[in-house]
Amino acid sequence: MQWETILVEQADHVATVTINRPSAMNSFDKAMIAEFATLWRIFAEDDAVHAVVLRAAPGRAFSTGIDVKAVVQPGGAILHDNVWTAEDPGGALGPKSSRCWKPVVCAVHGMAAGGAFYWLNEADILICSEDASFFDPHVTYGLTAALEPIGATYRMPLGDVLRMALLGNDERISAATALRVGLVTEVLPLDALWARADELARIIAAKPPAAIQGTVRAIWESLDLTRSTALKLGYRYCQVGNPVGEVQFDPATLAGGRRYTTR
C-alpha cells in the first residue's frame, strides 16, 4: 500500500513503522488515524508479521499528539459533530484497540505529549532515548485530560499520572524519571535507540508466533477482568495456544539465554 503519514518496512518477520510527519512534530491528523486503523488490521491478519517496531521520524518529537492546526482546516475535523456518534479519535491509533495481538516495541525520542500516549499506552515494550520527555498539556489549554492519563495508569503509578495530568505543560517527565516509575524499561543514547528496538523485536519474532500472540492477548485482555476471571481465561488460552503433542520450539534454542539488564 501507499502510505501518506507513515513509513512501513518488513523484513525477517519484523514490521517497522515510522510515524512520518516531522514537519508537524509527528502529530496525528485524520489521515494518520485512518492509516493506523488499516495498518493494525493488516498486521493482525498477516502471519508473516511476528513483531512490530514503532518509532517516529527524527526531530524534536516522537509525537506531540493531535495536530491542532490540521483540525481547524476545512475537512480536518477529527471528532464527529454529532455527540451521539462521536468516538474517541485516538482509539484507532493503538494496536490493542484494533485487536492486533502482534507484540509492539515502541522507541521514543524527544517529546512524547498528549495523544502520543495512545501509542505508548498500548506498546508491549517501551524504550526511550536519553533526550526523551513525556507530558500531557491538555489542562494547560483548558481541556480535560482523561483518555491518555487513564490509559497511562496501567503503566505508571497513579500519583505520577495525576502529577503529569494536573501540571500540564509546566512539567515534563524525563527519561530517567520515566525509567524509575516504570513508563519505560530501558534508556539509551539516541544513536542506539532504533537498533535496540530492532534487536528486541527480532528476538521476539524468532519465538513461536502462536505462543507470543497468545501471551500478548491473554495479558492485555486480563486488564479488563477480575483476577479470578482473568486466570480462568488465561488457562483457556494456554490450552488453545499449546495443543497436546504439538512441538512449538527446538530445545536447543533454550541454551545461552540473555540476561535482562537496564542500559
Side-chain angles (χ1 to χ4, degrees):
M1 290 187 62
Q2 296 296 316
W3 306 100
E4 176 186 343
T5 66
I6 56 178
L7 302 175
V8 182
E9 306 169 64
Q10 189 171 329
D12 302 325
H13 299 300
V14 174
T16 301
V17 182
T18 306
I19 301 168
N20 192 39
R21 297 188 74 224
S23 61
M25 295 286 200
N26 291 319
S27 57
F28 62 82
D29 59 3
K30 196 172 185 179
M32 187 180 291
I33 291 173
E35 289 193 334
F36 266 100
T38 300
L39 183 73
W40 294 128
R41 291 315 310 157
I42 290 174
F43 286 169
E45 296 169 7
D46 186 355
D47 289 337
V49 175
H50 293 183
V52 179
V53 171
L54 177 62
R55 62 192 194 186
R60 293 176 55 199
F62 170 83
S63 176
T64 53
I66 192 170
D67 186 346
V68 295
K69 293 181 180 179
V71 298
V72 299
Q73 296 175 357
I78 291 178
L79 284 174
H80 197 287
D81 290 336
N82 186 332
V83 297
W84 300 113
T85 56
E87 296 183 357
D88 177 7
L93 293 174
K96 309 309 182 292
S97 298
S98 299
R99 298 187 64 75
C100 175
W101 308 114
K102 305 298 175 70
V104 176
V105 179
C106 184
V108 177
H109 75 275
M111 294 183 288
F117 276 81
Y118 283 111
W119 289 298
L120 274 53
N121 290 341
E122 294 197 6
D124 298 289
I125 296 178
L126 183 57
I127 64 176
C128 75
S129 58
E130 294 166 336
D131 71 328
S133 63
F134 307 83
F135 60 103
D136 188 343
H138 279 85
V139 297
T140 298
Y141 302 112
L143 301 171
T144 297
L147 300 172
E148 295 89 339
I150 288 173
T153 60
Y154 291 89
R155 304 199 79 99
M156 300 164 56
L158 178 61
D160 293 293
V161 173
L162 285 166
R163 178 169 179 143
M164 177 182 73
L166 297 176
L167 291 179
N169 233 1
D170 291 304
E171 184 174 275
R172 299 184 182 186
I173 297 174
S174 68
T177 300
L179 181 63
R180 176 180 61 81
V181 302
L183 176 57
V184 303
T185 58
E186 196 170 350
V187 177
L188 303 109
L190 179 60
D191 59 5
L193 181 66
W194 283 11
R196 178 58 172 160
D198 184 69
E199 178 187 16
L200 291 170
R202 288 174 182 273
I203 292 171
I204 296 169
K207 293 176 169 54
I212 289 293
Q213 291 169 49
T215 298
V216 170
R217 181 168 180 173
I219 293 172
W220 280 93
E221 287 189 340
S222 75
L223 301 180
D224 293 328
L225 306 171
T226 63
R227 179 180 176 276
S228 59
T229 302
L231 289 171
K232 289 179 181 178
L233 180 62
Y235 181 60
R236 291 185 61 189
Y237 282 180
C238 288
Q239 293 174 310
V240 171
N242 302 283
V244 175
E246 182 176 333
V247 178
Q248 294 190 325
F249 68 91
D250 178 356
T253 64
L254 297 181
R258 299 168 183 264
R259 185 179 298 276
Y260 176 80
T261 58
T262 299
R263 296 188 178 185

